[in-house]
Amino acid sequence: MTVSLPKISIITIVYNNVRDIRFTLDSVAGQTYKNIEYIVIDGASTDGTLKVLQEYQSSIDKLVSEPDKGIYDAMNKGLKQATGDYVLFLNSGDELYDCTTLEQIFQYGADADIYYGETKLVNEEREILGDRRHKTPEEFTWKSFKYGMNVCHQAIYVKRSIAEPYDLQYKLSSDIDWVIRAAKKAEKIVNVNCYVAKYLVGGMSQQRHKQSLKERFDIFRKYYGHLPNLINHGIIALRLLKHRLLKGKTRD
């Protein structure tokens, strides 16, 4: 029986990141899975990034280079361009785990609303640092984030029909709100039980950590309630303290 392979829209946003963008482009171009629509949204880079993107024209289906109003405005532009069955946001510096990642996930077709997997952390030298502190759950629902974002944004594939635009009131954590909204609409969510992404540590949410934490707190309160959110954040704090005592400062 011939299996109809779904089209995967991979969306990369980038702005002045000539150092890291090539790793992301190579990881998409090298996939053995061929039903890919690759969309790159560049914020009018001036550091040579656009020149690198032009080198990969044969691998990029849609390239937009223009000023934007921030990370999630750029992501919304990519979402509007997407025509695939599923969307994946793979930002500059991040990579698909290996060349067979998409084939492993979708080789038997697709009947889930969301697929998700494990993530490895990498540094600027592309050295693997290990797993994220928040362990990926065996089963994922919209309630799974109550103790923190335990599924990495780069490791979650969402059916485009349930993927709403990002909420631009959040400048650093709108991806959390976006995933929760999608998960609330999803009828079937599948854990692929393998590594699917490499995440470059040190992004904007780490550089502006206090603002990111405030946004996350507000998002969790909106979905989980004020009192439960306070209790949950107490548990998050205790888990973080335990992690630092046993393993040192977290990188994600």
Side-chain angles (χ1 to χ4, degrees), residues 3-8 10 31-33 36 86-88 90 95-119 154-159 188-197:
V3 176
S4 178
L5 298 178
K7 181 195 285 188
I8 315 303
I10 300 178
Q31 287 297 299
T32 55
Y33 190 92
I36 298 173
Y86 292 86
V87 293
L88 170 71
L90 191 72
E95 302 173 65
L96 295 163
Y97 188 71
D98 62 30
C99 64
T100 65
T101 294
L102 293 183
E103 188 174 345
Q104 290 180 62
I105 298 171
F106 294 105
Q107 62 181 319
Y108 301 114
D111 64 349
D113 295 302
I114 292 176
Y115 291 89
Y116 70 98
E118 299 278 0
T119 305
Q154 292 80 355
I156 188 165
Y157 296 75
V158 176
K159 189 171 282 188
K188 184 176 181 180
I189 300 177
V190 172
N191 184 352
V192 299
N193 291 303
C194 64
Y195 287 97
V196 298

Side-chain angles (χ1 to χ4, degrees), residues 138-156:
E138 282 298 318
E139 295 183 1
F140 178 73
T141 73
W142 68 273
K143 297 180 180 180
S144 296
F145 279 1
K146 64 182 181 180
Y147 297 131
M149 191 172 183
N150 51 18
V151 178
C152 191
H153 195 214
Q154 292 80 355
I156 188 165

